[in-house]
Amino acid sequence: MTTTAAATPRPGTTEAPRRETGKESGGTLNVFSHAFLVLWVVLAAGPLIWVALTAFRPSAEILSDPAGWPAAFHWENFTNAWNKADIGRYTINSLIILAGSLTGTMLLGSMAAYVIARFTFPGNRVIFMLFAGGMMFPVILALVPLFAVMENFGLLETRPGLIIAYIAYSLPFTTFFLTSFFRTLPTGVQEAAMVDGASHTRTFFQIMLPMAKPGLVSIGIFNFLGQWNQYLLPLLLNNEETKNYVLPQGLASLAVSQGYRGDWGALFAGLTIAMLPVLVVYAVFQRQVQAGLTAGALK
């Protein structure tokens, strides 16, 4: 007759305490990670909430108690910012320039990335490295030659000049990002379209671009943020006529002219107006941004 060993641990063994220790360490790690996430949310969202609440307060109340809660919501701050402080004009200027620069950046960047990623030709790698190297070049080093070139072509103080500068500034990262994304797309669909007689242009616009939608949305959001908040290039190329200022220029000019006797409620209202498009765009396209950033890792 045979006997079997008991399933319970022998006396003196440390198996059960080890399991309990593992659970305790895992729980401690979860508490620490959740506390860090809460702290991160407070640090990220706290200033935004403070600016939004301050936008409803009068200037005297802001100066006497900067961190206080609004005693009453003064909606006229937004009216004053939009009309009297010309935030409305600056916002429209930014939207017009952004419409041209973002469209040009996405079109040119996607076309260049598609050719680099899907076709093999002499100099392919060199062109890709030139675009990658453009991201490492500080824009401040190009300000003097950029000003000279724009002046020679008569593009200073013009919207087309600012649009071209925005496109040139955003194109390296756009091409670099989309090249990696286009390489993850399946080649079978492209080859099938070419066999059916589709031209390269039709294959790109009707087949490859729709497949690359997550990546296009992701890089589009980054370009939108960078171009919407751009201050250095407008300060160099668009600094004479106040009526042609973009929104960051207008807010900076308003802050400088405020001093301690200005309408601080209108200034914070202008900041809130500048933040709203960014928050709305990210809230609408949040899922596409996450899909675009993880698509390359999942394939």
Side-chain angles (χ1 to χ4, degrees), residues 130-200:
L130 287 175
F131 277 109
M135 298 187 300
M136 307 174 191
F137 189 80
V139 66
I140 193 171
L141 297 181
L143 294 182
V144 174
L146 177 63
F147 182 87
V149 170
M150 289 294 182
E151 186 178 24
N152 292 335
F153 282 95
L155 294 175
L156 289 179
E157 307 299 329
T158 63
R159 288 173 178 170
L162 206 54
I163 290 174
I164 293 174
Y166 279 16
I167 293 175
Y169 172 77
S170 306
L171 202 56
F173 179 68
T174 302
T175 305
F176 178 83
F177 182 91
L178 290 179
T179 298
S180 302
F181 193 87
F182 274 117
R183 285 173 178 167
T184 65
L185 299 181
T187 58
V189 179
Q190 178 187 2
E191 294 174 353
M194 301 298 293
V195 170
D196 291 340
S199 62
H200 291 295

Side-chain angles (χ1 to χ4, degrees), residues 76-235:
E76 65 272 11
N77 289 340
F78 290 89
T79 304
N80 296 335
W82 189 266
N83 296 323
K84 296 181 180 179
D86 281 338
I87 296 298
R89 181 193 298 272
Y90 304 147
T91 303
I92 294 174
N93 291 339
S94 292
L95 290 175
I96 293 174
I97 294 173
L98 188 67
S101 61
L102 188 60
T103 302
T105 301
M106 297 304 299
L107 179 61
L108 296 177
S110 60
M111 293 172 67
Y114 173 72
V115 172
I116 294 173
R118 313 297 294 194
F119 295 92
T120 302
F121 55 90
N124 180 298
R125 188 67 178 175
V126 174
I127 295 176
F128 176 73
M129 294 306 296
L130 287 175
F131 277 109
M135 298 187 300
M136 307 174 191
F137 189 80
V139 66
I140 193 171
L141 297 181
L143 294 182
V144 174
L146 177 63
F147 182 87
V149 170
M150 289 294 182
E151 186 178 24
N152 292 335
F153 282 95
L155 294 175
L156 289 179
E157 307 299 329
T158 63
R159 288 173 178 170
L162 206 54
I163 290 174
I164 293 174
Y166 279 16
I167 293 175
Y169 172 77
S170 306
L171 202 56
F173 179 68
T174 302
T175 305
F176 178 83
F177 182 91
L178 290 179
T179 298
S180 302
F181 193 87
F182 274 117
R183 285 173 178 167
T184 65
L185 299 181
T187 58
V189 179
Q190 178 187 2
E191 294 174 353
M194 301 298 293
V195 170
D196 291 340
S199 62
H200 291 295
T201 303
R202 184 176 181 183
T203 302
F204 172 70
F205 283 103
Q206 295 188 0
I207 297 176
M208 302 306 293
L209 274 188
M211 293 175 61
K213 180 181 177 181
L216 293 173
V217 172
S218 298
I219 194 62
I221 295 296
F222 285 117
N223 285 328
F224 175 84
L225 295 176
Q227 296 177 7
W228 179 262
N229 296 320
Q230 182 60 244
Y231 176 73
L232 188 59
L233 291 177
L235 185 64

